[in-house]
C-alpha cells in the first residue's frame, strides 16, 4: 500500500527492490488493493513479477473502494456487475490471468454480502479467482459469507495496539476454520520503534488524520513503544521485530502482513521469524501494552463508520 499511496511519496526503484528482496527471501504472499494509487500498486506488482514463476506467489487483491482523482474516498461497491468489472481491470494491471485471493475491501451497505460473495464465486468457477477472502467485517458477515462459499481468510487490523478482534471475531474465524491475515502489525509505523513526536508528514499521509498519531494520543502511544523497547533490548531485538513476533505468537492461523517499502526495513522485519518469544517475554509484553492501552481509535471517525468489524 505504502508503495503507491497513503504514506507520502515512494521511490519506485526502491519499491521494486523491496518486492524482489521479499520474493528472494521466500515471502510468497503479496497484498494489494486496486485502489492503492488507483491501479498503480497493481501495475507495480505486475512489473515486479514479470519473469517470475507466477505459481510461487500468492496475490491477494482488495476491491470495491471508490476513489476520485483528488484521492478522495466514496464508499464501496459490492454489486455483482462491479465485481466482474473490477476484476477484469485488476487482471490486466497485474498482467496475470488469475488472482489468488479476492476480497471486498469494505462491506457495501447497499448490497447483501451473499450477492458479492456469489459474484466472486462465479469468478472462482471461471478460474479467474482461486480463493475468496474478506476484509474488516464482523462475525455475522463472516458467517453469512462463509455460508455462500468457503472463505480462506479475513484481513483485519491486529497488533499489540489493536486487539478488539479477540473478543468475537477471532473465535468465530477459529470455529469456522478461516485464517486471519493481520495488517497494521506495526500500527502504521507507530510500533516501528522509529516514530517520533516530531515526525514530519507529507501532505495526505494517512497518519496526519489517524487519531493515534495526534497530540496527546501520540505522546501516550510512544510511551508504550518505549516500554516495548526495554523488552526488545533484553532480547537483542528491535521494537518492530517484537511487534511482529507477538502477532506470530498468536497462532498458526494468523499471517502478519508487514508494509515495508525499503529493503532494509524488510530485512529487519524478516528477523522477527528467528525470534521465539518465551512465556516470560509474552507476560512482560502484556504488562507493557495491556489490551486497550492504545490512545485513540485506529481510524478517524468517517473511516471507522465504514468498518463492519467495529459495529
Ligand atoms: N484490509 C485493510 O483494510 C487494510 C488496511 C490497511 C493496510 N492493509 C494492508 O496491510 C499492509 C500493511 O499495512 P500498513 O503498511 O498500513 O501497516 P504496518 O505494516 O503496520 O506499517 C507500515 C509502516 O511501518 C514501517 N516499517 C515497516 N517495516 C519496518 C521495520 N522493520 N522497521 C521500522 N519500520 C518499519 C513502514 O515504513 P516504510 O514505509 O518507510 O517502509 C511503514 O511506515 C498494507 O500494505 C496493505 O496491503 C489492509
Amino acid at each position: 500500500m505504502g508503495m503507491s499511496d497513503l504514506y507520502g511519496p515512494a521511490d519506485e526503484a526502491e519499491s521494486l527492490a523491496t518486492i524482489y528482496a521479499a520474493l528472494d527471501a521466500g515471502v510468497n504472499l503479496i497484498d494489494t488493493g486496486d485502489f492503492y494509487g488507483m491501479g498503480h500498486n497493481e501495475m507495480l506488482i505486475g512489473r515486479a513479477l514479470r519473469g517470475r514463476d507466477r505459481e510461487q506467489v500468492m496475490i491477494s487483491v482488495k476491491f470495491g473502494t471508490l476513489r476520485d482523482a483528488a484521492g478522495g474516498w466514496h464508499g464501496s461497491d459490492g454489486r455483482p456487475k462491479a465485481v466482474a468489472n473490477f476484476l477484469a481491470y485488476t487482471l490486466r494491471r497485474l498482467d496475470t490471468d488469475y488472482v489468488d485471493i479476492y476480497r471486498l475491501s469494505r462491506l457495501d451497505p447497499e448490497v447483501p454480502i451473499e450477492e458479492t460473495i456469489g459474484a466472486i464465486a462465479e469468478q472462482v468457477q471461471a478460474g479467474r479467482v482461486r480463493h475468496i477472502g474478506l476484509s474488516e467485517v464482523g462475525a455475522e458477515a463472516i458467517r453469512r459469507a462463509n455460508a455462500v462459499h468457503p472463505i480462506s481468510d479475513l484481513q483485519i487490523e491486529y497488533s499489540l495496539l489493536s486487539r478488539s478482534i479477540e473478543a468475537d471475531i477471532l473465535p468465530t474465524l477459529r470455529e469456522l476454520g478461516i485464517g486471519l491475515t493481520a495488517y497494521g502489525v506495526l500500527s502504521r509505523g507507530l510500533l516501528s520503534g522509529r516514530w517520533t513526536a516530531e515526525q514530519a508528514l507529507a501532505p495526505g499521509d494517512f497518519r496526519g488524520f489517524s487519531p493515534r498519531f495526534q497530540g496527546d494520543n501520540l505522546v501516550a502511544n510512544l510511551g508504550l513503544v518505549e516500554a516495548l523497547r526495554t523488552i526488545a533490548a533484553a532480547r537483542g531485538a528491535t521494537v518492530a521485530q517484537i511487534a511482529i513476533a507477538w502477532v506470530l505468537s498468536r497462532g498458526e492461523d494468523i499471517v502478519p502482513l508487514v508494509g515495508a517499502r525499503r529493503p532494509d526495513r524488510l530485512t529487519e522485519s524478516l528477523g522477527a521469524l528467528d525470534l521465539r518469544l518465551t512465556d516470560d517475554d509474552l507476560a512482560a509484553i502484556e504488562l507493557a501494552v495491556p489490551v486497550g492501552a492504545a490512545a485513540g481509535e485506529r481510524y478517524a471517525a468517517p473511516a471507522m463508520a465504514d468498518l463492519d468489524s467495529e459495529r
Side-chain angles (χ1 to χ4, degrees), residues 1-3 6-7 18 30-33 35-36 41 60 62 103-106 134-136 155-157 159 181-195 205-207 238-241 244 257-270 298-299 307:
M1 180 181 80
M3 292 176 180
L6 291 154
Y7 291 165
T18 307
I30 296 184
D31 184 72
T32 183
F35 51 93
Y36 290 165
N41 201 249
S60 156
K62 294 181 294 297
R103 67 183 92 241
L104 184 65
S105 180
R106 295 287 181 271
L134 296 169
S135 169
E136 284 291 359
Q155 187 175 113
I156 197 162
E157 186 163 356
S159 72
T181 307
Y183 79 81
V185 169
L186 298 175
S187 203
R188 322 284 193 143
L190 195 50
L191 285 176
S192 69
R194 294 206 180 84
W195 204 268
D205 190 311
F206 168 87
R207 295 163 292 201
T238 67
V239 176
Q241 288 170 339
I244 298 166
L257 279 180
V258 181
R261 49 181 183 173
R262 285 175 18 196
D264 58 332
R265 302 272 211 239
L266 172 79
T267 305
E268 180 183 343
S269 298
L270 288 172
R298 57 195 182 99
Y299 283 93
L307 298 180

Side-chain angles (χ1 to χ4, degrees), residues 251-311:
E252 297 247 310
D253 52 347
I254 301 179
V255 176
L257 279 180
V258 181
R261 49 181 183 173
R262 285 175 18 196
D264 58 332
R265 302 272 211 239
L266 172 79
T267 305
E268 180 183 343
S269 298
L270 288 172
L273 292 170
D274 299 323
L275 186 64
R276 287 280 171 274
L277 297 176
T278 64
D279 289 346
D280 284 351
D281 292 332
L282 290 169
I285 291 169
E286 195 74 44
L287 212 59
V289 189
V291 177
E297 303 271 27
R298 57 195 182 99
Y299 283 93
M304 277 298 274
D306 284 340
L307 298 180
D308 180 69
S309 51
E310 294 287 346
R311 289 205 182 101

